[in-house]
Amino acid sequence: FDGLARVSRVLPVVLPLHPRTRGALAAAGVDPAAEPGVRIVPPVGYLDMVMLERHAAVVATDSGGVQKEAFFYRVPCVTLRDETEWVELVELGWNRLASPAGGAAALAAAVLEARGRPGREASPYGAGDTAARIAGALAGGAA
């Protein structure tokens, strides 16, 4: 949380906060509402989440799904983990890993460095024409 608080001094931070996470922060003596640049919101549904991702300058997450969604919206992403299942997004420069062990300053720096730095354009998950190609193959056409 301290890393996000540091980011909020430069960029506004919107943090959908799960009640268990809020409880864990309280148990650690952290009041997320004390940071004026961090806007705490209740957990959001999928459509609201993708709208937040789509309109973000940069996404910071530990979620595998959110990493991929950020790429689909062409928003730079920082994954707050030591590894990712989506290594192709790191290789393309859309995603950066930031180890939580590196501390708050390193996490904040990774998020701020990612802002405005998109990765290389590529289609690692296909061109969006898979259904048509499958239908063509089933109909006896060329795949």
Side-chain angles (χ1 to χ4, degrees), residues 108-130:
V111 171
L112 293 171
E113 287 170 10
R115 178 181 56 155
R117 298 186 67 183
R120 292 188 318 276
E121 280 301 320
S123 299
Y125 308 115
D129 63 347
T130 303

Side-chain angles (χ1 to χ4, degrees), residues 2 4-13 35 37-38 112:
D2 188 38
L4 293 177
R6 290 173 187 229
V7 169
S8 78
R9 296 174 193 140
V10 179
L11 288 175
V13 172
E35 286 294 333
V38 179
L112 293 171

Side-chain angles (χ1 to χ4, degrees), residues 3-4 6 15 18 21 31 35 38 42 44 46 54 62 64 69 76 79 81 83 96 108 111 115 135 139:
L4 293 177
R6 290 173 187 229
L15 180 60
H18 191 280
T21 306
D31 178 10
E35 286 294 333
V38 179
V44 297
Y46 177 74
R54 182 177 182 183
D62 65 351
E69 290 162 0
T79 299
R81 299 188 337 207
E83 58 187 17
R96 294 149 180 84
V111 171
R115 178 181 56 155

Side-chain angles (χ1 to χ4, degrees), residues 67-140:
Q67 295 171 53
K68 207 167 184 185
E69 290 162 0
F71 167 74
F72 290 145
Y73 294 116
R74 299 306 196 256
V75 174
C77 182
V78 176
T79 299
L80 309 174
R81 299 188 337 207
D82 294 316
E83 58 187 17
T84 178
E85 56 277 28
W86 306 115
V87 293
E88 61 275 15
L89 299 181
V90 173
E91 291 166 357
L92 289 170
W94 285 101
N95 192 5
R96 294 149 180 84
L97 295 175
S99 173
L107 291 175
V111 171
L112 293 171
E113 287 170 10
R115 178 181 56 155
R117 298 186 67 183
R120 292 188 318 276
E121 280 301 320
S123 299
Y125 308 115
D129 63 347
T130 303
R133 291 175 50 215
I134 291 171
L138 292 173

